[in-house]
Amino acid sequence: MKLDTKAMRHLTGEDWRVLTAVEMGSKNHEIVPTTLIERISRLRGGTSGVHRCISNLAKNGLIARVKEAKYDGYRLTYGGLDYLALHTYASRKEIYSTGTRVGVGKESDIMIVADNKGTQKILKIHRLGRISFRSVKTNRDYLRNRQGGSWMYLSRLAAMKEFAFMQALKAEGFPVPDPISQSRHTILMSLIDAHPMRQIASVPDPATLYAELIALILRLAKHGLIHGDFNEFNILIKEERRRKDTDETIEAGLGASLEPTEDEVIKLTPVVIDFPQMVSMDHENAEMYFDRDVNCIKRFFKRRFKFTATQPGPFFKDAKKTVGKNGAKRLDAEVLASGFTKKMLKDLEAAIREQQGSIEENGEGASLGSDVDDDDEYDDEDDEDDEDESEDEGEGGDPVPLFADGTVLTEHH
Ligand code: ADP
Ligand code: MG
């Protein structure tokens, strides 16, 4: 399943209305009865108009007929949900065009998009439920028996939680992307001009970078948080030119040479991403998560940069003592109390754990991430949304208006 915006420009205002009706109906119905779709969308052309729209949406894979149901009904597909989210961003003037996919994460698609001023941004589309289809049989059977809708619901939760944490972390001055906007199962954030640490072969001074990353783990802990997936895929390393004497950042403007001059140094700054699995320092398994984050960094630095810290630790029990100290705001409490029920968080945690488990069972843990770009690996063979995989990623040329309300959304390269 990947984002394919091609059908978008052919949808009429009425199609959008019916698609929205299916989404609204999904709030209370796993399979939305056709009669309810008719009632919610209330098109001028009456039921025949609605039926035409339904068949058009189904043909484009935005909704799917549910055959085994006792009544005639439809469910929204991930494709339909993608379109609704894009429609929302476009109407907020936050996205004007969609570009190439930069990463296929464990349970997400990462796309470069741009607004109408040409500013590039990152759209992260959560797709919980995808990878598990490749997992061991018992897990797969379990997943097949689940309603697709609940995976979509969990993906929405993941996006909401990730966005809430990104906002809270940004406000505290943590090095994270700028959170821009959120819709359904997606978030929009600033594009970080940097590569994941995974792709970096060597650094001039591993000790300093290591110390900075450990300091970040401890700073998170002080605010009551554990990242929970603090690894080489989720740490982007920015290269900045700084003045040696003042530590001032030098913008790499036009005509600037790539090599630093004598009074300049290249400073590596980590930027942390990927927050749906963040947990509180009070979590029952906090120590395990904390140690796992620390050990991920240790292991990576040893393997990649042949660097081992002279000091042991840091240890959870010491970090625990610092939580909330010196006026540090408890971000765990702040975010987790903001509109998330205990049940929501539990469901999400279970889903994420299950995904991680299924990845480990497949023996793929470390190899998954941004350097995996064979997206077809992630596709579920039986997914009916996925029929025209072979088409081109996009079309060039001028932006074409795609929405009846004059909103434009096109593809760029
Ligand atoms: P997942 O939850 O699926 O692991 P991530 O949020 O970790 O998704 O993103 C996957 C990859 O996409 C990252 O490893 C990185 O290469 C890229 N990426 C994600 N967000 C950004 C961003 N804001 N700027 C630049 N690259 C990004
Ligand atoms: Mg990641």
PDB file of all heavy atoms in Angstrom, residues 384-406:
ATOM      1  N   GLU A 384      -6.655  -5.476  -1.452  1.00  0.00           N
ATOM      2  CA  GLU A 384      -7.373  -5.067  -2.664  1.00  0.00           C
ATOM      3  C   GLU A 384      -7.114  -3.623  -3.052  1.00  0.00           C
ATOM      4  O   GLU A 384      -7.475  -3.187  -4.118  1.00  0.00           O
ATOM      5  CB  GLU A 384      -8.885  -5.310  -2.509  1.00  0.00           C
ATOM      6  CG  GLU A 384      -9.566  -4.386  -1.536  1.00  0.00           C
ATOM      7  CD  GLU A 384      -9.769  -5.027  -0.169  1.00  0.00           C
ATOM      8  OE1 GLU A 384      -8.807  -5.637   0.375  1.00  0.00           O
ATOM      9  OE2 GLU A 384     -10.863  -4.941   0.343  1.00  0.00           O
ATOM     10  N   ASP A 385      -6.462  -2.874  -2.155  1.00  0.00           N
ATOM     11  CA  ASP A 385      -6.191  -1.470  -2.489  1.00  0.00           C
ATOM     12  C   ASP A 385      -5.023  -1.334  -3.451  1.00  0.00           C
ATOM     13  O   ASP A 385      -4.669  -0.268  -3.874  1.00  0.00           O
ATOM     14  CB  ASP A 385      -5.778  -0.671  -1.232  1.00  0.00           C
ATOM     15  CG  ASP A 385      -6.713  -0.897  -0.084  1.00  0.00           C
ATOM     16  OD1 ASP A 385      -7.789  -1.452  -0.321  1.00  0.00           O
ATOM     17  OD2 ASP A 385      -6.351  -0.510   1.035  1.00  0.00           O
ATOM     18  N   ASP A 386      -4.375  -2.413  -3.718  1.00  0.00           N
ATOM     19  CA  ASP A 386      -3.034  -2.320  -4.253  1.00  0.00           C
ATOM     20  C   ASP A 386      -2.860  -2.738  -5.698  1.00  0.00           C
ATOM     21  O   ASP A 386      -1.786  -3.108  -6.110  1.00  0.00           O
ATOM     22  CB  ASP A 386      -2.154  -3.246  -3.400  1.00  0.00           C
ATOM     23  CG  ASP A 386      -1.181  -2.433  -2.592  1.00  0.00           C
ATOM     24  OD1 ASP A 386      -1.158  -1.218  -2.808  1.00  0.00           O
ATOM     25  OD2 ASP A 386      -0.463  -3.017  -1.792  1.00  0.00           O
ATOM     26  N   GLU A 387      -3.921  -2.699  -6.462  1.00  0.00           N
ATOM     27  CA  GLU A 387      -3.840  -3.350  -7.747  1.00  0.00           C
ATOM     28  C   GLU A 387      -2.908  -2.710  -8.784  1.00  0.00           C
ATOM     29  O   GLU A 387      -2.243  -3.397  -9.510  1.00  0.00           O
ATOM     30  CB  GLU A 387      -5.242  -3.532  -8.336  1.00  0.00           C
ATOM     31  CG  GLU A 387      -5.668  -4.998  -8.284  1.00  0.00           C
ATOM     32  CD  GLU A 387      -6.986  -5.201  -7.574  1.00  0.00           C
ATOM     33  OE1 GLU A 387      -7.921  -4.459  -7.909  1.00  0.00           O
ATOM     34  OE2 GLU A 387      -7.069  -6.064  -6.694  1.00  0.00           O
ATOM     35  N   ASP A 388      -2.862  -1.394  -8.800  1.00  0.00           N
ATOM     36  CA  ASP A 388      -2.048  -0.803  -9.874  1.00  0.00           C
ATOM     37  C   ASP A 388      -0.685  -0.344  -9.378  1.00  0.00           C
ATOM     38  O   ASP A 388      -0.273   0.780  -9.580  1.00  0.00           O
ATOM     39  CB  ASP A 388      -2.800   0.329 -10.572  1.00  0.00           C
ATOM     40  CG  ASP A 388      -3.373   1.321  -9.591  1.00  0.00           C
ATOM     41  OD1 ASP A 388      -3.134   1.140  -8.367  1.00  0.00           O
ATOM     42  OD2 ASP A 388      -4.021   2.251 -10.006  1.00  0.00           O
ATOM     43  N   GLU A 389       0.015  -1.224  -8.711  1.00  0.00           N
ATOM     44  CA  GLU A 389       1.351  -0.969  -8.201  1.00  0.00           C
ATOM     45  C   GLU A 389       2.350  -0.515  -9.261  1.00  0.00           C
ATOM     46  O   GLU A 389       3.278   0.206  -8.983  1.00  0.00           O
ATOM     47  CB  GLU A 389       1.923  -2.272  -7.658  1.00  0.00           C
ATOM     48  CG  GLU A 389       1.990  -2.577  -6.214  1.00  0.00           C
ATOM     49  CD  GLU A 389       2.122  -1.455  -5.225  1.00  0.00           C
ATOM     50  OE1 GLU A 389       2.694  -0.401  -5.512  1.00  0.00           O
ATOM     51  OE2 GLU A 389       1.657  -1.653  -4.117  1.00  0.00           O
ATOM     52  N   SER A 390       2.152  -1.016 -10.484  1.00  0.00           N
ATOM     53  CA  SER A 390       3.203  -0.837 -11.474  1.00  0.00           C
ATOM     54  C   SER A 390       3.222   0.559 -12.102  1.00  0.00           C
ATOM     55  O   SER A 390       4.150   0.894 -12.810  1.00  0.00           O
ATOM     56  CB  SER A 390       3.015  -1.864 -12.581  1.00  0.00           C
ATOM     57  OG  SER A 390       1.734  -1.673 -13.147  1.00  0.00           O
ATOM     58  N   GLU A 391       2.227   1.362 -11.800  1.00  0.00           N
ATOM     59  CA  GLU A 391       2.195   2.680 -12.425  1.00  0.00           C
ATOM     60  C   GLU A 391       3.333   3.569 -11.928  1.00  0.00           C
ATOM     61  O   GLU A 391       3.908   3.350 -10.879  1.00  0.00           O
ATOM     62  CB  GLU A 391       0.854   3.356 -12.128  1.00  0.00           C
ATOM     63  CG  GLU A 391      -0.239   2.764 -12.977  1.00  0.00           C
ATOM     64  CD  GLU A 391      -1.546   3.540 -12.790  1.00  0.00           C
ATOM     65  OE1 GLU A 391      -1.485   4.774 -12.743  1.00  0.00           O
ATOM     66  OE2 GLU A 391      -2.580   2.892 -12.684  1.00  0.00           O
ATOM     67  N   ASP A 392       3.611   4.598 -12.673  1.00  0.00           N
ATOM     68  CA  ASP A 392       4.686   5.521 -12.317  1.00  0.00           C
ATOM     69  C   ASP A 392       4.384   6.229 -11.009  1.00  0.00           C
ATOM     70  O   ASP A 392       3.254   6.381 -10.618  1.00  0.00           O
ATOM     71  CB  ASP A 392       4.844   6.590 -13.405  1.00  0.00           C
ATOM     72  CG  ASP A 392       5.315   5.977 -14.700  1.00  0.00           C
ATOM     73  OD1 ASP A 392       5.978   4.914 -14.646  1.00  0.00           O
ATOM     74  OD2 ASP A 392       5.002   6.540 -15.739  1.00  0.00           O
ATOM     75  N   GLU A 393       5.459   6.690 -10.364  1.00  0.00           N
ATOM     76  CA  GLU A 393       5.304   7.393  -9.097  1.00  0.00           C
ATOM     77  C   GLU A 393       4.535   8.700  -9.262  1.00  0.00           C
ATOM     78  O   GLU A 393       3.837   9.150  -8.374  1.00  0.00           O
ATOM     79  CB  GLU A 393       6.681   7.713  -8.501  1.00  0.00           C
ATOM     80  CG  GLU A 393       7.258   6.566  -7.719  1.00  0.00           C
ATOM     81  CD  GLU A 393       6.763   6.548  -6.272  1.00  0.00           C
ATOM     82  OE1 GLU A 393       6.876   7.578  -5.608  1.00  0.00           O
ATOM     83  OE2 GLU A 393       6.261   5.510  -5.833  1.00  0.00           O
ATOM     84  N   GLY A 394       4.665   9.317 -10.390  1.00  0.00           N
ATOM     85  CA  GLY A 394       3.964  10.587 -10.523  1.00  0.00           C
ATOM     86  C   GLY A 394       4.110  11.124 -11.911  1.00  0.00           C
ATOM     87  O   GLY A 394       4.763  10.551 -12.762  1.00  0.00           O
ATOM     88  N   GLU A 395       3.464  12.247 -12.160  1.00  0.00           N
ATOM     89  CA  GLU A 395       3.567  12.886 -13.447  1.00  0.00           C
ATOM     90  C   GLU A 395       4.153  14.264 -13.223  1.00  0.00           C
ATOM     91  O   GLU A 395       3.842  14.930 -12.253  1.00  0.00           O
ATOM     92  CB  GLU A 395       2.178  13.023 -14.066  1.00  0.00           C
ATOM     93  CG  GLU A 395       1.528  11.672 -14.343  1.00  0.00           C
ATOM     94  CD  GLU A 395       0.014  11.769 -14.344  1.00  0.00           C
ATOM     95  OE1 GLU A 395      -0.509  12.887 -14.532  1.00  0.00           O
ATOM     96  OE2 GLU A 395      -0.621  10.727 -14.149  1.00  0.00           O
ATOM     97  N   GLY A 396       4.971  14.706 -14.152  1.00  0.00           N
ATOM     98  CA  GLY A 396       5.550  16.034 -14.014  1.00  0.00           C
ATOM     99  C   GLY A 396       4.565  17.091 -14.466  1.00  0.00           C
ATOM    100  O   GLY A 396       3.366  16.901 -14.409  1.00  0.00           O
ATOM    101  N   GLY A 397       5.082  18.196 -14.918  1.00  0.00           N
ATOM    102  CA  GLY A 397       4.217  19.217 -15.492  1.00  0.00           C
ATOM    103  C   GLY A 397       3.629  20.147 -14.459  1.00  0.00           C
ATOM    104  O   GLY A 397       3.966  20.118 -13.289  1.00  0.00           O
ATOM    105  N   ASP A 398       2.719  20.985 -14.915  1.00  0.00           N
ATOM    106  CA  ASP A 398       2.159  22.019 -14.057  1.00  0.00           C
ATOM    107  C   ASP A 398       1.164  21.446 -13.080  1.00  0.00           C
ATOM    108  O   ASP A 398       0.517  20.447 -13.340  1.00  0.00           O
ATOM    109  CB  ASP A 398       1.449  23.068 -14.920  1.00  0.00           C
ATOM    110  CG  ASP A 398       2.448  23.825 -15.763  1.00  0.00           C
ATOM    111  OD1 ASP A 398       3.581  23.999 -15.302  1.00  0.00           O
ATOM    112  OD2 ASP A 398       2.086  24.207 -16.896  1.00  0.00           O
ATOM    113  N   PRO A 399       1.029  22.113 -11.949  1.00  0.00           N
ATOM    114  CA  PRO A 399       0.013  21.688 -10.998  1.00  0.00           C
ATOM    115  C   PRO A 399      -1.370  21.689 -11.634  1.00  0.00           C
ATOM    116  O   PRO A 399      -1.706  22.585 -12.392  1.00  0.00           O
ATOM    117  CB  PRO A 399       0.079  22.757  -9.903  1.00  0.00           C
ATOM    118  CG  PRO A 399       1.434  23.336 -10.012  1.00  0.00           C
ATOM    119  CD  PRO A 399       1.821  23.243 -11.452  1.00  0.00           C
ATOM    120  N   VAL A 400      -2.116  20.682 -11.357  1.00  0.00           N
ATOM    121  CA  VAL A 400      -3.461  20.571 -11.906  1.00  0.00           C
ATOM    122  C   VAL A 400      -4.440  20.643 -10.739  1.00  0.00           C
ATOM    123  O   VAL A 400      -4.230  19.987  -9.729  1.00  0.00           O
ATOM    124  CB  VAL A 400      -3.626  19.200 -12.605  1.00  0.00           C
ATOM    125  CG1 VAL A 400      -5.013  19.053 -13.192  1.00  0.00           C
ATOM    126  CG2 VAL A 400      -2.578  19.024 -13.684  1.00  0.00           C
ATOM    127  N   PRO A 401      -5.495  21.443 -10.859  1.00  0.00           N
ATOM    128  CA  PRO A 401      -6.449  21.491  -9.762  1.00  0.00           C
ATOM    129  C   PRO A 401      -7.099  20.127  -9.579  1.00  0.00           C
ATOM    130  O   PRO A 401      -7.516  19.505 -10.548  1.00  0.00           O
ATOM    131  CB  PRO A 401      -7.499  22.509 -10.203  1.00  0.00           C
ATOM    132  CG  PRO A 401      -7.004  23.087 -11.458  1.00  0.00           C
ATOM    133  CD  PRO A 401      -5.912  22.253 -11.988  1.00  0.00           C
ATOM    134  N   LEU A 402      -7.146  19.683  -8.362  1.00  0.00           N
ATOM    135  CA  LEU A 402      -7.660  18.346  -8.140  1.00  0.00           C
ATOM    136  C   LEU A 402      -8.995  18.322  -7.433  1.00  0.00           C
ATOM    137  O   LEU A 402      -9.712  17.357  -7.463  1.00  0.00           O
ATOM    138  CB  LEU A 402      -6.676  17.556  -7.294  1.00  0.00           C
ATOM    139  CG  LEU A 402      -5.380  17.257  -8.009  1.00  0.00           C
ATOM    140  CD1 LEU A 402      -4.447  16.546  -7.086  1.00  0.00           C
ATOM    141  CD2 LEU A 402      -5.664  16.394  -9.226  1.00  0.00           C
ATOM    142  N   PHE A 403      -9.299  19.384  -6.767  1.00  0.00           N
ATOM    143  CA  PHE A 403     -10.502  19.367  -5.970  1.00  0.00           C
ATOM    144  C   PHE A 403     -11.533  20.320  -6.548  1.00  0.00           C
ATOM    145  O   PHE A 403     -11.202  21.349  -7.109  1.00  0.00           O
ATOM    146  CB  PHE A 403     -10.195  19.770  -4.529  1.00  0.00           C
ATOM    147  CG  PHE A 403      -9.179  18.878  -3.901  1.00  0.00           C
ATOM    148  CD1 PHE A 403      -7.953  19.375  -3.496  1.00  0.00           C
ATOM    149  CD2 PHE A 403      -9.442  17.537  -3.734  1.00  0.00           C
ATOM    150  CE1 PHE A 403      -7.017  18.547  -2.918  1.00  0.00           C
ATOM    151  CE2 PHE A 403      -8.508  16.705  -3.158  1.00  0.00           C
ATOM    152  CZ  PHE A 403      -7.292  17.213  -2.749  1.00  0.00           C
ATOM    153  N   ALA A 404     -12.768  19.964  -6.353  1.00  0.00           N
ATOM    154  CA  ALA A 404     -13.861  20.774  -6.876  1.00  0.00           C
ATOM    155  C   ALA A 404     -13.842  22.182  -6.285  1.00  0.00           C
ATOM    156  O   ALA A 404     -14.244  23.133  -6.922  1.00  0.00           O
ATOM    157  CB  ALA A 404     -15.188  20.103  -6.560  1.00  0.00           C
ATOM    158  N   ASP A 405     -13.338  22.301  -5.042  1.00  0.00           N
ATOM    159  CA  ASP A 405     -13.335  23.625  -4.421  1.00  0.00           C
ATOM    160  C   ASP A 405     -12.148  24.481  -4.852  1.00  0.00           C
ATOM    161  O   ASP A 405     -11.888  25.522  -4.294  1.00  0.00           O
ATOM    162  CB  ASP A 405     -13.355  23.488  -2.895  1.00  0.00           C
ATOM    163  CG  ASP A 405     -12.163  22.674  -2.394  1.00  0.00           C
ATOM    164  OD1 ASP A 405     -11.292  22.344  -3.209  1.00  0.00           O
ATOM    165  OD2 ASP A 405     -12.123  22.380  -1.195  1.00  0.00           O
ATOM    166  N   GLY A 406     -11.424  24.014  -5.865  1.00  0.00           N
ATOM    167  CA  GLY A 406     -10.334  24.815  -6.408  1.00  0.00           C
ATOM    168  C   GLY A 406      -8.997  24.556  -5.717  1.00  0.00           C
ATOM    169  O   GLY A 406      -7.974  25.100  -6.090  1.00  0.00           O
TER     170      GLY A 406
END
